Structures are given as C-alpha cells and as structure tokens.
Amino acid sequence: ISVDLSAADERILADALEASTEIHREGSTFFYKKYYPFEIKGGKVVAAENYAAEAANAVNRAYSQQVVRVAAKRYGWAVKETGTGKVSLTKRK
C-alpha cells in the first residue's frame, strides 16, 4: 500500500515527520510506533501490508498538522490544540 506524496512540499513533510510522536527516523528508514519500518520512495509511503494503512495515515496526519502550522504562521493565526489531531485557529490582534 502506498500514499502519493508527490505534491507534498518536501520541507513541510520533513518537519512534519520530525515533529510526529508516532513516527521516528533512523537513517533513511522511518518507523511507525517505533517498531514498524516504512520508507518514502518517489513520493510514496511504502510499508508491509499488515500495517501500511496505519503508517500511511500517520504520515498524512503529521503532514496535515504541519501544513496548518505553516499556514497559521504565515497568516498570523494563533493555534490552540483542542484534542488529538484537532486545533482551533484564531486571528491574532
């Protein structure tokens, strides 16, 4: 199973993976929940079939959260975590 990340901004993706609590990196290999290896090749998340969907979803969540942080910084929004994977954005005065 793979997820297409070809349109993803590489810097945002790298920052997202670094910030994720579900993903860590050792060399060129990423690990989902510390034990499940996956790679990102040619803009795709590639992992073993038994956990590929979970790893791909974790990458998508991390990337989405980082995109929100980047947009908030660009437009001067305040970001408040309201729950797991949930944020509230407000315009700063």
Side-chain angles (χ1 to χ4, degrees):
I1 294 176
S2 62
V3 173
D4 188 0
L5 295 168
S6 61
D9 181 300
E10 290 184 24
R11 175 176 266 168
I12 293 174
L13 179 59
D15 290 345
L17 296 173
E18 183 71 27
S20 176
T21 59
E22 296 180 290
I23 299 167
H24 79 275
R25 183 179 189 168
E26 292 179 16
S28 63
T29 303
F30 295 94
F31 290 86
Y32 169 65
K33 292 190 176 179
K34 298 184 183 181
Y35 303 106
Y36 305 105
F38 68 91
E39 294 180 299
I40 298 177
K41 292 183 179 179
K44 300 212 181 262
V45 174
V46 181
E49 188 175 332
N50 58 333
Y51 60 86
E54 290 178 52
N57 286 336
V59 171
N60 283 335
R61 279 191 302 274
Y63 185 74
S64 298
Q65 290 168 353
Q66 190 65 26
V67 166
V68 169
R69 287 186 201 106
V70 168
K73 185 176 180 180
R74 180 181 303 145
Y75 296 109
W77 301 333
V79 179
K80 180 180 177 187
E81 302 268 342
T82 58
T84 304
K86 295 181 181 181
V87 295
S88 173
L89 301 171
T90 55
K91 181 72 177 166
R92 291 183 184 160
K93 294 181 180 181

